[in-house]
Amino acid sequence: MSLRLGLKGRSMALKVKAASAASEPADADRRGRKASKETRRQQLVEATIDSLAKRGYAETTLADVADGAGLSRGIVNFHFESKENLLIATLQFMADEYATHWSAAYDKADPAAASRLWALVAADFDRKICTKRKLAAWCAFWGEAKSRPTYQALCGARDVKYQETFVSLCAELKAEAGYGYEPETMALALCAMMEGLWLRLMMGDGLTREKAHVAAIQHLVSAFPKHMTYEGPKK
Amino acid sequence: MSLRLGLKGRSMALKVKAASAASEPADADRRGRKASKETRRQQLVEATIDSLAKRGYAETTLADVADGAGLSRGIVNFHFESKENLLIATLQFMADEYATHWSAAYDKADPAAASRLWALVAADFDRKICTKRKLAAWCAFWGEAKSRPTYQALCGARDVKYQETFVSLCAELKAEAGYGYEPETMALALCAMMEGLWLRLMMGDGLTREKAHVAAIQHLVSAFPKHMTYEGPKK
DNA sequence: ATATTTTGAATGATCATTCAGCAAGTATGT
DNA sequence: ACATACTTGCTGAATGATCATTCAAAATAT
């Protein structure tokens, strides 16, 4: 089976490298033959996000990811066992990054509920998170999530804690000022609006991060008039 | 070229038919050999929506669509030239259906701006439009839209008129009652929220159409307190 | 020397597309 | 009526392209 004598493999070791990788001149390793397993995995995950953003989920191939990372064809199956694993690791990475980001914003904010709510909304439109590149990648996963329990679980896990936090904050504000809504409903509307704004940001049009953020703020102001102004939380 | 003399084709005309088609005893045509071209195209579009909903964009194959329609493998390329065309026709169909639906709701509503706005929001959560099946299909296209100008154009065309309508209505309400927002921003927030609610409906969880609709209504009430109540538009 | 990482050609699976032929319908002639 | 040719919708096996995956050999590190 599959007689396969070298005799050929020889030849071209031309190292036409230099190809793409229009980024990182490296932190330390990156380029060299050795690069800690974790570093290489991270590099491949980043290339995957690029590919998802540029070509979409359906058109993302391992060859494209490998090229994007400036590495060879077999590399993904060496570091991640399969394409599926690579995609899961990519989604996992984005979910972790997102969770870390909003938690930090929450912790750093003034502990008043109004301030925290304001901070969470601002975090969603932060340049670190809210990049066309990353929004496109999120959207690619959303598109497949319905038919893939694994994706759904990862996207869902992101939401559960996040939305619970919103519900608590809305409940606090309601207790403070006696607004006439259900906290769950209000939190749902808020979170849904931010996701919808992300979707539209991704779609292109003329929408900018700033305009989207203003729309979200306007919602805060109209929903919590006793706590919010266009310039920030009251008090 | 392709020298290709019969000599072989002969043989097996066994007609193992009877296979699938576990459905429609037919309205009139459907099953029979004849069925107006338009009917058959429609049937294939429906099967495509099913497949998108069940297996996602990336896993939707022509074989799956053909099986779903209870027809043979080559059928799609006969009626639509290519897979791409089938998908475009499917998106086109959904976009048309959506536009027709909300326009009708708009026209039928009481001409007061508040009533029309209420009607448009209600239309988005109507059982005719807001099905898990269709939401999943929309979402599948959204996921690919960033990298496909054609899809983007079709999704975008849907939005332009729709959002302009919202802007006008918001402007009217502002003129009537002197709310302190920009109509464009408010319309954006509203439309984005409804899309976000669709996204979440599709994702499953415990969210129901009714709960989503209530969340949207709550937004209307808090944004237009002088015009809206939880039960409907005032006046 | 041994172990680890990387390469890239070969393999095999999946799938869109093609197309020769079949069958149902229609038109025309007798 | 029946036979004939012609049109059109449909079928399903064959074709070829794309791509994930494998793995022997090569490069590099320890």
Side-chain angles (χ1 to χ4, degrees), chain B residues 33 37 40 72 79:
Chain B
R33 200 44 80 99
K37 244 169 154 76
R40 192 108 299 168
S72 72
H79 284 285

Side-chain angles (χ1 to χ4, degrees), chain A residues 52-59 135-137 139-148 152 155-156 159 162-163 180-182 185-197 199-200 202-205 207 211-212 214-216 218-219 222-223 230, chain B residues 52-59 135-137 139-148 152 155-156 159 162-163 180-182 185-197 199-200 202-205 207 211-212 214-216 218-219 222-223 230:
Chain A
L52 287 172
K54 185 153 22 101
R55 334 207 335 164
Y57 185 98
E59 309 275 307
L135 298 190
C139 197
F141 282 114
W142 289 342
E144 293 295 309
K146 71 200 119 11
S147 47
R148 309 228 174 190
Q152 208 158 2
C155 294
D159 281 339
Y162 188 64
Q163 195 158 337
Y181 53 72
E182 287 307 311
T185 310
M186 182 52 77
L188 172 62
L190 244 173
C191 292
M193 190 187 65
M194 292 194 298
E195 263 169 39
L197 286 169
L199 202 64
R200 286 181 118 93
M202 189 221 69
M203 288 283 195
D205 291 334
L207 188 55
K211 279 206 266 186
V214 168
Q218 186 169 89
H219 185 193
S222 80
Y230 285 92
Chain B
L52 287 172
K54 183 151 26 99
R55 334 208 332 165
Y57 186 98
E59 310 275 305
L135 297 190
C139 196
F141 282 115
W142 288 342
E144 293 295 310
K146 73 198 118 11
S147 47
R148 309 228 176 193
Q152 208 158 2
C155 294
D159 281 340
Y162 189 63
Q163 196 159 338
Y181 53 71
E182 288 306 311
T185 310
M186 182 51 78
L188 172 62
L190 244 172
C191 292
M193 190 186 65
M194 292 194 297
E195 264 169 39
L197 286 169
L199 203 64
R200 289 188 118 109
M202 189 221 70
M203 288 283 195
D205 291 334
L207 187 56
K211 279 205 266 185
V214 168
Q218 188 170 89
H219 185 191
S222 80
Y230 285 93

Side-chain angles (χ1 to χ4, degrees), chain B residues 130-176:
Chain B
C130 188
T131 319
K132 253 208 169 172
R133 177 171 166 276
K134 287 205 178 127
L135 297 190
W138 272 113
C139 196
F141 282 115
W142 288 342
E144 293 295 310
K146 73 198 118 11
S147 47
R148 309 228 176 193
T150 313
Y151 295 171
Q152 208 158 2
L154 283 170
C155 294
R158 169 196 137 161
D159 281 340
V160 172
K161 282 213 68 177
Y162 189 63
Q163 196 159 338
E164 275 171 8
T165 307
F166 270 86
V167 171
S168 306
L169 292 174
C170 290
E172 270 191 71
L173 294 184
K174 180 178 182 179
E176 287 178 17

